[in-house]
Amino acid sequence: MPDASDADGLTVGQVSTRLGVTVRALHHWDEIGLARPSLRTSAGYRLYTAGDLERLHRIVVYRELGLGLDRIQAILDDSTADVPGALRAQRTRLAERIERLQELGAGLDRMIDAHERGLLLTSEQQAAIFGPQWNPDWPAQARRRYGDTAQWLQYAERSASRGPEEWQAIADAVTGFERALGDAMDAGVTPGSPEANQLVERHREVFASYFPLTRQMQVCLGRMCEADPAFAAHYDGIRAGLATWFRRIIDASARAHGIDPDNATWQ
């Protein structure tokens, strides 16, 4: 390597500042032979010439385009390399990546909306799926009440990936369960019986469409269905006394699994 005075070239630090490349990267490129400084001072400092700087400029551009170091070295050192072909291929890969990033951006927008709104359905879609008794303000009310809970986050993240068809399937499952609940009470099914316990398990499975429901959480939910006027009115509207009967079969099942309903907590 030829010797030179400091005025003949740029130091590693100066090149790093000029090109916005770290000193560590420049040392690495030197080590692998991608971009070596052509000069060295009498004191042993490496210096980059104008020709070295031009090569570095090309490396930086190719790196920003996403080319790997091996591919860059092949382009720079092989006079027969098909540079336009390599750049076209990289452009294709970048276009694919951009499309993927746009898809991810749209997914993030849906996730944000779901966390803020709960349901990504219009009022008309909600009425068509959940029935005329459905209040489109309920999701907003639920967010104000439960928006800081882990369960709301789980619900919102599931909601982000659902459209009208998925919500229709969930609504049908809930309606089918509630119909079976009313029929069982009419048939005299007793709390703690295999039939009642099967309904309790079915409730957990159906409810899991919103977020995972532990047995202790199910006990708390059963008590809310009986104590909350809106929930109680809903179940008692299916069958008179159904809210209380529903709570009783949940409590009986919890006891069978070693849970004291009186001490159950939301966990």
Side-chain angles (χ1 to χ4, degrees), residues 45-75:
Y45 293 108
R46 297 177 177 85
L47 293 177
Y48 291 88
T49 65
D52 297 334
L53 202 61
E54 176 61 28
R55 182 180 177 94
L56 285 168
H57 272 297
R58 294 183 68 189
I59 292 171
V60 170
V61 170
Y62 290 154
R63 285 288 286 165
E64 289 179 349
L65 293 175
L67 292 173
L69 295 181
D70 291 343
R71 188 64 180 133
I72 293 173
Q73 188 155 15
I75 290 174

Short mmCIF file of all heavy atoms in Angstrom, two decimals, residues 45-75:
data_model
loop_
_atom_site.label_atom_id
_atom_site.label_comp_id
_atom_site.label_asym_id
_atom_site.label_seq_id
_atom_site.Cartn_x
_atom_site.Cartn_y
_atom_site.Cartn_z
N TYR A 45 -1.83 5.26 9.42
CA TYR A 45 -3.25 5.51 9.29
C TYR A 45 -3.72 5.24 7.86
O TYR A 45 -3.05 5.61 6.89
CB TYR A 45 -3.58 6.96 9.66
CG TYR A 45 -3.35 7.28 11.11
CD1 TYR A 45 -2.27 8.09 11.49
CD2 TYR A 45 -4.19 6.78 12.10
CE1 TYR A 45 -2.04 8.38 12.83
CE2 TYR A 45 -3.97 7.06 13.44
CZ TYR A 45 -2.90 7.86 13.80
OH TYR A 45 -2.67 8.14 15.12
N ARG A 46 -4.89 4.62 7.74
CA ARG A 46 -5.45 4.35 6.42
C ARG A 46 -6.07 5.62 5.86
O ARG A 46 -6.70 6.38 6.58
CB ARG A 46 -6.52 3.26 6.50
CG ARG A 46 -6.02 1.91 6.96
CD ARG A 46 -7.18 0.92 7.06
NE ARG A 46 -6.77 -0.41 7.43
CZ ARG A 46 -6.60 -0.83 8.68
NH1 ARG A 46 -6.82 0.01 9.69
NH2 ARG A 46 -6.20 -2.07 8.93
N LEU A 47 -5.92 5.79 4.56
CA LEU A 47 -6.51 6.95 3.89
C LEU A 47 -7.23 6.50 2.63
O LEU A 47 -6.75 5.63 1.90
CB LEU A 47 -5.42 7.97 3.51
CG LEU A 47 -4.69 8.67 4.65
CD1 LEU A 47 -3.61 9.59 4.08
CD2 LEU A 47 -5.65 9.47 5.52
N TYR A 48 -8.39 7.08 2.40
CA TYR A 48 -9.22 6.76 1.23
C TYR A 48 -9.02 7.82 0.16
O TYR A 48 -9.11 9.02 0.42
CB TYR A 48 -10.69 6.69 1.61
CG TYR A 48 -11.04 5.50 2.49
CD1 TYR A 48 -10.95 5.60 3.88
CD2 TYR A 48 -11.47 4.30 1.93
CE1 TYR A 48 -11.28 4.52 4.68
CE2 TYR A 48 -11.80 3.21 2.73
CZ TYR A 48 -11.71 3.32 4.11
OH TYR A 48 -12.03 2.25 4.91
N THR A 49 -8.76 7.37 -1.05
CA THR A 49 -8.59 8.28 -2.18
C THR A 49 -9.96 8.61 -2.78
O THR A 49 -10.99 8.05 -2.37
CB THR A 49 -7.73 7.63 -3.27
OG1 THR A 49 -8.43 6.49 -3.79
CG2 THR A 49 -6.38 7.20 -2.71
N ALA A 50 -9.96 9.49 -3.78
CA ALA A 50 -11.21 9.84 -4.47
C ALA A 50 -11.81 8.61 -5.13
O ALA A 50 -13.03 8.43 -5.14
CB ALA A 50 -10.94 10.94 -5.50
N GLY A 51 -10.94 7.75 -5.69
CA GLY A 51 -11.44 6.52 -6.30
C GLY A 51 -12.05 5.59 -5.27
O GLY A 51 -13.08 4.95 -5.54
N ASP A 52 -11.42 5.51 -4.09
CA ASP A 52 -11.98 4.69 -3.01
C ASP A 52 -13.35 5.22 -2.60
O ASP A 52 -14.28 4.46 -2.33
CB ASP A 52 -11.05 4.72 -1.79
CG ASP A 52 -9.69 4.12 -2.07
OD1 ASP A 52 -9.59 3.27 -2.97
OD2 ASP A 52 -8.73 4.50 -1.36
N LEU A 53 -13.44 6.56 -2.54
CA LEU A 53 -14.70 7.17 -2.11
C LEU A 53 -15.82 6.89 -3.12
O LEU A 53 -16.97 6.67 -2.74
CB LEU A 53 -14.50 8.68 -1.95
CG LEU A 53 -15.50 9.40 -1.04
CD1 LEU A 53 -15.45 8.85 0.36
CD2 LEU A 53 -15.19 10.90 -1.04
N GLU A 54 -15.49 6.90 -4.39
CA GLU A 54 -16.47 6.58 -5.42
C GLU A 54 -16.99 5.16 -5.25
O GLU A 54 -18.18 4.89 -5.37
CB GLU A 54 -15.86 6.77 -6.80
CG GLU A 54 -16.78 6.38 -7.95
CD GLU A 54 -18.06 7.20 -8.01
OE1 GLU A 54 -18.04 8.37 -7.56
OE2 GLU A 54 -19.08 6.68 -8.51
N ARG A 55 -16.07 4.24 -4.98
CA ARG A 55 -16.48 2.84 -4.76
C ARG A 55 -17.38 2.75 -3.52
O ARG A 55 -18.40 2.04 -3.54
CB ARG A 55 -15.25 1.96 -4.59
CG ARG A 55 -15.56 0.46 -4.42
CD ARG A 55 -14.28 -0.34 -4.26
NE ARG A 55 -14.55 -1.75 -4.02
CZ ARG A 55 -14.61 -2.69 -4.96
NH1 ARG A 55 -14.44 -2.36 -6.24
NH2 ARG A 55 -14.82 -3.96 -4.64
N LEU A 56 -17.02 3.47 -2.50
CA LEU A 56 -17.82 3.45 -1.28
C LEU A 56 -19.21 4.02 -1.52
O LEU A 56 -20.20 3.52 -0.97
CB LEU A 56 -17.11 4.23 -0.17
CG LEU A 56 -15.92 3.52 0.48
CD1 LEU A 56 -15.14 4.49 1.35
CD2 LEU A 56 -16.39 2.33 1.31
N HIS A 57 -19.29 5.07 -2.32
CA HIS A 57 -20.59 5.63 -2.66
C HIS A 57 -21.48 4.56 -3.30
O HIS A 57 -22.67 4.44 -2.98
CB HIS A 57 -20.43 6.83 -3.62
CG HIS A 57 -20.22 8.13 -2.94
ND1 HIS A 57 -21.16 8.71 -2.12
CD2 HIS A 57 -19.16 8.99 -2.96
CE1 HIS A 57 -20.71 9.86 -1.67
NE2 HIS A 57 -19.48 10.07 -2.16
N ARG A 58 -20.92 3.80 -4.22
CA ARG A 58 -21.69 2.76 -4.90
C ARG A 58 -22.12 1.67 -3.92
O ARG A 58 -23.25 1.17 -3.97
CB ARG A 58 -20.87 2.16 -6.04
CG ARG A 58 -20.56 3.13 -7.16
CD ARG A 58 -19.82 2.44 -8.29
NE ARG A 58 -20.66 1.47 -8.99
CZ ARG A 58 -20.20 0.60 -9.90
NH1 ARG A 58 -18.90 0.59 -10.19
NH2 ARG A 58 -21.02 -0.24 -10.50
N ILE A 59 -21.21 1.33 -3.02
CA ILE A 59 -21.56 0.31 -2.01
C ILE A 59 -22.72 0.79 -1.16
O ILE A 59 -23.67 0.02 -0.90
CB ILE A 59 -20.33 0.01 -1.12
CG1 ILE A 59 -19.24 -0.69 -1.94
CG2 ILE A 59 -20.73 -0.85 0.08
CD1 ILE A 59 -17.92 -0.83 -1.21
N VAL A 60 -22.68 2.04 -0.73
CA VAL A 60 -23.75 2.58 0.11
C VAL A 60 -25.08 2.54 -0.64
O VAL A 60 -26.12 2.16 -0.08
CB VAL A 60 -23.41 4.00 0.57
CG1 VAL A 60 -24.62 4.65 1.24
CG2 VAL A 60 -22.23 3.99 1.53
N VAL A 61 -25.07 2.94 -1.90
CA VAL A 61 -26.30 2.93 -2.70
C VAL A 61 -26.84 1.52 -2.83
O VAL A 61 -28.04 1.27 -2.63
CB VAL A 61 -26.03 3.55 -4.09
CG1 VAL A 61 -27.24 3.32 -5.00
CG2 VAL A 61 -25.76 5.04 -3.97
N TYR A 62 -25.97 0.58 -3.18
CA TYR A 62 -26.41 -0.80 -3.36
C TYR A 62 -26.93 -1.39 -2.05
O TYR A 62 -27.89 -2.18 -2.04
CB TYR A 62 -25.28 -1.66 -3.92
CG TYR A 62 -24.91 -1.35 -5.36
CD1 TYR A 62 -23.63 -1.62 -5.85
CD2 TYR A 62 -25.84 -0.79 -6.23
CE1 TYR A 62 -23.29 -1.34 -7.16
CE2 TYR A 62 -25.50 -0.51 -7.55
CZ TYR A 62 -24.24 -0.79 -8.01
OH TYR A 62 -23.91 -0.52 -9.31
N ARG A 63 -26.29 -1.02 -0.94
CA ARG A 63 -26.76 -1.51 0.37
C ARG A 63 -28.16 -0.96 0.67
O ARG A 63 -29.01 -1.68 1.19
CB ARG A 63 -25.79 -1.08 1.48
CG ARG A 63 -24.51 -1.86 1.51
CD ARG A 63 -24.71 -3.27 2.02
NE ARG A 63 -24.93 -3.29 3.46
CZ ARG A 63 -25.42 -4.33 4.13
NH1 ARG A 63 -25.79 -5.41 3.47
NH2 ARG A 63 -25.57 -4.29 5.43
N GLU A 64 -28.38 0.31 0.36
CA GLU A 64 -29.70 0.90 0.60
C GLU A 64 -30.76 0.24 -0.26
O GLU A 64 -31.94 0.19 0.11
CB GLU A 64 -29.66 2.40 0.33
CG GLU A 64 -28.86 3.19 1.38
CD GLU A 64 -28.81 4.67 1.07
OE1 GLU A 64 -29.20 5.05 -0.05
OE2 GLU A 64 -28.38 5.44 1.95
N LEU A 65 -30.35 -0.28 -1.42
CA LEU A 65 -31.29 -0.99 -2.28
C LEU A 65 -31.54 -2.42 -1.82
O LEU A 65 -32.38 -3.12 -2.38
CB LEU A 65 -30.75 -1.01 -3.72
CG LEU A 65 -30.70 0.35 -4.44
CD1 LEU A 65 -30.04 0.20 -5.80
CD2 LEU A 65 -32.10 0.92 -4.58
N GLY A 66 -30.78 -2.84 -0.80
CA GLY A 66 -31.03 -4.15 -0.22
C GLY A 66 -30.13 -5.25 -0.73
O GLY A 66 -30.35 -6.42 -0.41
N LEU A 67 -29.09 -4.93 -1.51
CA LEU A 67 -28.19 -5.96 -2.01
C LEU A 67 -27.24 -6.40 -0.91
O LEU A 67 -26.78 -5.59 -0.09
CB LEU A 67 -27.37 -5.43 -3.19
CG LEU A 67 -28.15 -5.14 -4.49
CD1 LEU A 67 -27.24 -4.47 -5.50
CD2 LEU A 67 -28.72 -6.43 -5.07
N GLY A 68 -26.91 -7.69 -0.90
CA GLY A 68 -25.97 -8.21 0.07
C GLY A 68 -24.54 -7.86 -0.32
O GLY A 68 -24.24 -7.53 -1.47
N LEU A 69 -23.63 -7.95 0.66
CA LEU A 69 -22.25 -7.57 0.42
C LEU A 69 -21.59 -8.44 -0.64
O LEU A 69 -20.81 -7.95 -1.47
CB LEU A 69 -21.46 -7.62 1.72
CG LEU A 69 -21.88 -6.62 2.81
CD1 LEU A 69 -20.98 -6.77 4.04
CD2 LEU A 69 -21.84 -5.19 2.30
N ASP A 70 -21.89 -9.74 -0.64
CA ASP A 70 -21.31 -10.63 -1.65
C ASP A 70 -21.75 -10.22 -3.05
O ASP A 70 -20.94 -10.22 -3.99
CB ASP A 70 -21.69 -12.08 -1.38
CG ASP A 70 -21.03 -12.64 -0.13
OD1 ASP A 70 -20.03 -12.02 0.32
OD2 ASP A 70 -21.49 -13.67 0.38
N ARG A 71 -23.04 -9.90 -3.19
CA ARG A 71 -23.56 -9.50 -4.49
C ARG A 71 -22.96 -8.17 -4.92
O ARG A 71 -22.63 -7.96 -6.10
CB ARG A 71 -25.08 -9.39 -4.42
CG ARG A 71 -25.75 -9.16 -5.76
CD ARG A 71 -25.54 -10.34 -6.67
NE ARG A 71 -26.17 -10.15 -7.96
CZ ARG A 71 -25.58 -10.39 -9.12
NH1 ARG A 71 -24.33 -10.83 -9.15
NH2 ARG A 71 -26.23 -10.22 -10.26
N ILE A 72 -22.79 -7.25 -3.96
CA ILE A 72 -22.20 -5.95 -4.28
C ILE A 72 -20.76 -6.13 -4.77
O ILE A 72 -20.35 -5.52 -5.78
CB ILE A 72 -22.23 -5.03 -3.05
CG1 ILE A 72 -23.67 -4.66 -2.69
CG2 ILE A 72 -21.41 -3.76 -3.30
CD1 ILE A 72 -23.80 -3.89 -1.40
N GLN A 73 -20.00 -6.98 -4.08
CA GLN A 73 -18.62 -7.19 -4.49
C GLN A 73 -18.54 -7.80 -5.89
O GLN A 73 -17.68 -7.43 -6.69
CB GLN A 73 -17.91 -8.10 -3.48
CG GLN A 73 -16.41 -8.22 -3.72
CD GLN A 73 -15.65 -8.56 -2.48
OE1 GLN A 73 -16.22 -8.98 -1.47
NE2 GLN A 73 -14.34 -8.38 -2.52
N ALA A 74 -19.45 -8.71 -6.19
CA ALA A 74 -19.46 -9.31 -7.52
C ALA A 74 -19.75 -8.27 -8.59
O ALA A 74 -19.13 -8.26 -9.67
CB ALA A 74 -20.49 -10.43 -7.57
N ILE A 75 -20.68 -7.37 -8.31
CA ILE A 75 -21.02 -6.33 -9.28
C ILE A 75 -19.84 -5.38 -9.50
O ILE A 75 -19.52 -5.00 -10.63
CB ILE A 75 -22.26 -5.55 -8.81
CG1 ILE A 75 -23.51 -6.43 -8.89
CG2 ILE A 75 -22.46 -4.28 -9.64
CD1 ILE A 75 -24.75 -5.79 -8.31
#
